Amino acid sequence: MASAPSLQYAYRAQKSICLVGGTPNYDPIDSFQPPDVPARTYKYSSDGRLFAYAIPTGVRIYQAESAQLLQELSLPNVVDISFSPRGTYLSTWERPVKLEDGAQHKNLRVFSVSTGEELVAFSQKSQEGWELQYTISESHAVRLVGQEIQVFRPVEWSMGVVDKLKVEGATTITLSPGLNPSLAVFIAEKKGQPASVKIFSLTALGAPPTCQKTFFKAQRSQIKWNTLGTQVLVLTQTDVDQANKSYYGETGGLYLLSAAGNFDCRVTLDKEGPVHDFTWSPNSKEFGVIYGYMPAKTMLFDQRARSLHDFGTAFCNFISFNPQARLIAIAGFGNLAGKVDIYDRRTLSKVTTIDASNTSHCEWSPDGRFLLTATLSPRLRVDNGIKVWHCTGPLVHVQPIDELYQASWRPIPVDVLPPFPQAIPAAPAPAPSVNQHATVAKPAPTRPAGAYRPPGARGLEASAAYKREDDTPSGGSTPNGRFSRSPAPGRFQNGRRHVPGAPTSPSPVRQSGDQEKRGRKKKGPKDGGKKDAAAAAGGEASARPSIDIPPNGAEVIAAANGSVPPTPGGDNGLDPTAKKVRNLNKKVGCVLIKWMIQLKAIEELKEKQKKGERLEATQLKKIDTEAEIRKELAALEITS
């Protein structure tokens, strides 16, 4: 019995391309000879036997295990490459150009991997969806040309199209895996007509569709078949969100369809917002969905769209099952923090949490025990590199790489590898690269608990619009939602920096002379003399009388005498009774000042009345209130 293929991953950077062995040492494969010029892309075959990369002068095909060169194709300007499922054929795509003789440029070519011979060529303008889609046995190959589906037999490329079907409005097609292949065709909505998905049997393409579903709000779609090819998930989206809630369009809905046509439904999602990610389990019996506005909700459904488990809400937008369907990774990448939660599918309990910040690409290893995360350019141009984590959480390998563009595991069929153990295996010893990285790594900055709050909002309760769904505030706040009486550490109070723990001193009383100096402005010679004379003549008459408050709280309020009442000190030295007395004195003082202002206004109205001026009815009523005000003042034993 042949030994199982070894774990291996490949990466492509600006100036290098490399094959790296797996655990425990993760050493580069010495027999692999990298090119002298930068590579444009690379690709493994689906079975992991072959590895190929494209350079400006051609394409080179290697045996992945031994890194032995098998074929070199002289094809300039190749942009992308693709293998058939069994690695028998290699397809290449070049940018279309205008030929001198006016003929069509056949920029999609198919080659035999074993001989290097060109078997067939087509014209394909767009790079999106350029790849030929093969059945798992490579018995048929399918491509969409305009609105026509063309079917070929790869063993007889020279026969050309062996079957075809024209579908009005078809925009994308997706061929299912499995032994009985089906073809899902998406037709976008147009001119008020609803969108639809039709499923055809590949062996009876001319027959009516075995299943079809129509829906609105669908200008584009994501179609994902399960591993057996018996059911398909369809996510519909629009290019523009009419409600202006998202820059990326509106999610129409997630639908589950059966290839046989005996079941179809819309997956019920109980949280408003877009669908961030969805994926089938490798066992084809269940699927996971992340949906809703952040924090998003993650749910596990069975093959009849019934909910199996709710993982709760979190800041996540990525879900992936390991190839053995035993572990589930739920993570938040892109503009999220990069936290990865790994769950055991059997117990639905969390195994560990990994902090993989700045991750651009995440992928399970073929044996299901390791998780590869990579920070790629141009998504991020700093801290590029590859990290390999064990499924229990420890970091086992680190490889910093400048200008990293591409990274991936070598695919290996699940049935060739040892089965995943009943108990989750323990992590191996980390590779030497982890210790080297720890010595040169920058210390991670400590993050404060809770969300960031600007200085002006600290000490305030968060607005209800920014509270999370779990009723936890986004940061520290005072109990009553008002400003805290004690200033925050480092704040300025009364012109001085407040020291935590020190008693708060009262505000300094500004002298009347200083206040007059600060308030004095330069006056012109025209009217300055008049105002000065008037002030000198009537200084005593215009000054407000002082108001003495009974010595309940030992406080005196001075009105209009140039002095400012002292600011009370901290609350630490007062008992509750003294605080109540102080607050009551404050209220009484405010009322007395109001009454004295009213008395002064009444005196001014009386002067006008003596001079013969005509007063309004409201002014006369105000004069009538003088007796009542003086009575209230007399009750407090205060005279004016």
Side-chain angles (χ1 to χ4, degrees), residues 218-415:
Q219 295 170 336
R220 48 194 170 90
S221 68
Q222 295 182 49
I223 299 176
K224 294 184 180 181
W225 286 95
N226 62 2
T227 308
L228 297 177
T230 55
Q231 289 184 306
V232 63
L233 286 169
V234 181
L235 175 65
T236 62
Q237 294 172 304
T238 60
D239 295 328
V240 178
D241 184 5
Q242 299 295 335
N244 291 329
K245 293 183 178 180
S246 172
Y247 291 106
Y248 309 105
E250 182 180 1
T251 299
L254 181 65
Y255 301 88
L256 176 63
L257 288 78
S258 171
N262 54 5
F263 180 80
D264 68 84
C265 72
R266 177 168 180 165
V267 181
T268 303
L269 305 178
D270 56 357
K271 192 175 193 299
E272 184 184 3
V275 174
H276 303 283
D277 195 17
F278 64 101
T279 186
W280 280 100
S281 170
N283 62 18
S284 298
K285 297 179 181 179
E286 57 194 21
F287 60 92
V289 186
I290 300 177
Y291 60 95
Y293 294 115
M294 291 295 168
K297 190 173 184 178
T298 305
M299 289 285 290
L300 188 66
F301 296 90
D302 66 2
Q303 55 190 347
R304 286 295 182 264
R306 294 173 297 218
S307 59
L308 297 176
H309 183 68
D310 182 359
F311 291 97
T313 58
F315 290 89
C316 55
N317 56 8
F318 172 85
I319 181 171
S320 177
F321 292 82
N322 74 338
Q324 291 76 19
R326 175 63 186 277
L327 300 175
I328 308 173
I330 301 174
F333 298 136
N335 58 348
L336 299 180
K339 186 183 72 170
V340 183
D341 293 329
I342 297 179
Y343 291 86
D344 187 348
R345 174 59 190 90
R346 291 187 179 179
T347 61
L348 293 173
S349 59
K350 184 186 293 188
V351 177
T352 187
T353 297
I354 297 172
D355 186 8
S357 58
N358 299 331
T359 296
S360 306
H361 174 75
C362 181
E363 181 183 354
W364 282 103
S365 63
D367 63 357
R369 305 185 184 200
F370 301 95
L371 203 63
L372 181 147
T373 62
T375 303
L376 306 178
S377 290
R379 175 68 177 83
L380 285 174
R381 297 189 179 274
V382 295
D383 297 333
N384 284 188
I386 296 171
K387 293 182 180 180
V388 179
W389 312 78
H390 191 257
C391 61
T392 56
L395 180 65
V396 296
H397 174 60
V398 180
Q399 186 172 5
I401 306 167
D402 292 335
E403 295 264 5
L404 179 62
Y405 296 138
Q406 194 176 357
S408 63
W409 288 106
R410 168 193 176 187
I412 301 176
V414 177
D415 53 0

